Structures are given as structure tokens and as C-alpha cells.
Amino acid sequence: MADQKTVRLIIERQDGPNEKPYTQEFDVPYRPGLNIVAALMEIQKNPVTADGKKVAPVVWECNCLEKVCGACMMVINGKARQACCSLVDKLEQPIHLAPARTFPVIRDLLIDRSVMFESLKRIQGWVEVDGTWEVKDAPIQNPYTAQTAYEISHCMTCGCCLEACPNVGPQSDFIGPAPTVQAYLFNLHPLGKFDAPKRLNALMEKGGITSCGNSQNCVQACPKNIKLTTYLAQLNRDVNKQALKNIFNH
């Protein structure tokens, strides 16, 4: 009987937030359609390194397994991707896995993405709805902006764009492309537009739109193919218009 074909994974591990990273190698049985999440599950069932050492199971995060939740984002062969839709057959081997170090590492491949959710609070990423109207009287979405809003709403706050952006990290206070573009989404909403000045003013503050260096890495990294740079440019225009309004309204 021929030897079972295997896939070699080289995983950057870290035992805790303040521990030093190290690498371990694992061999996983190959099968057609194998993705990175499934390979990590195989390691979890039998956490033995390629040289036969029994180790603690690799820690990572996943949820939907269908490219919707964004939880399984990690750096795969040097690029931020979703592990659930990264097929082994389409990756150069051996496959290198690492945590997205734009975010604090909790353990191994598990990261803390809460900074993005805090940024959504900063730009008021919600619509104030008090329920004082009947459904038939509710505002109607502008059909000319509905397609744009639908595209941006696909954002799953995975963090790929922040990991790819050279302006996100200790060298800058930029909140990142995803939270910034969400301000544009809520400004398009028929009710959300009433709070647009608040969002635009928030983006004038430190770490807002002016911290974007227009590197355009984000639009290449986005797994949902959202035209981030297009909407960042539109937001930049809107912020400048709001700044002028602020001057003349005083």
C-alpha cells in the first residue's frame, strides 16, 4: 500500500499574550478539498509534531466555516486570509500559518480583534431607530445607493484589511479601512444620514481619515472584494466638505 500523502504545516505558536513566539511543524493527512480549518482540526485530534513530539493542541478561532463571520482570519503563507476558504491545493507548500500581529495575540493563532469593534463605536456604526413609525411609513432606501450599501454591508470585520495596511499598527493611530468605511455605509442609510456630521467629525479626529496613506493594500486583501479605496476617497471628500461647513457654521 502506498504511503499516505501528507501536508506539512509550519505554525507560529505563542503560549500566551506575553510569551515569545516559536514554530512547530505538523503533518496532516491529505484529502481532496482540504482547507486550513480542517487541517487544524486534524492537528487538534492528534497534536503530534512532525518529529513525533506530543504537544498542546493549536489554538485558533472559527465559527461559520463559510466566509461570513471573519473569525478564522490568520496569516497564511504571508497573506491575511480566511482559513475556512483557503484550500490546501491552492497554497504553496509547506504551508506557513501565523497570527495577524496587527492585533494582540491571545494564544497561537487566536487574536483579539476588539479594537475594530471599539472603532465602530467611535464612528457610531449604527442607526438610531426609536420605532415611532409604522412599517408602511418607514423610510425607503435610495435605490441608487442601495447597491453600494449592500456591497459595504458584506464587511465581516475580519481584519484582513487592517493586517495588510501599513498605516495600522504601533507606527500610526489609524483606526483602519474597515471601521472607516463603515461610516460611509451608515451615512448612506435614510435614517443614518441624519447623524452623518457626527461620524464625519469623528473621522477628523486623531487616527481618522487623514491617517490613511492610500497604500491601497486593503482593497487587495479584502476577502469580500469591497472597493475600500473608492469609499475611502469618497469619505475623504465628505470629511473635507463637513470641515468647511463647521468653519462657516461658527
Side-chain angles (χ1 to χ4, degrees), residues 226-239:
I226 300 171
K227 297 187 287 290
L228 293 166
T229 48
T230 298
Y231 304 129
L232 285 167
Q234 180 64 55
L235 263 175
N236 193 43
R237 190 189 78 169
D238 293 345
V239 165

Side-chain angles (χ1 to χ4, degrees), residues 25 84 167 181:
E25 300 187 18
C84 64
N167 296 104
V181 170

Side-chain angles (χ1 to χ4, degrees), residues 34-55:
L34 183 69
N35 63 23
I36 295 300
V37 166
L40 287 169
M41 288 178 174
E42 289 296 323
I43 295 172
Q44 190 177 52
K45 289 191 291 186
N46 184 31
V48 176
T49 62
D51 57 4
K53 181 182 177 183
K54 183 81 172 180
V55 296

Side-chain angles (χ1 to χ4, degrees), residues 102 162-163 165-174 211:
T102 293
L162 274 75
E163 177 68 14
C165 179
N167 296 104
V168 175
Q171 74 283 3
S172 169
D173 47 23
F174 183 36
S211 296

Side-chain angles (χ1 to χ4, degrees), residues 10 65 98 105 157 166:
I10 302 174
L65 303 181
V105 176
T157 324

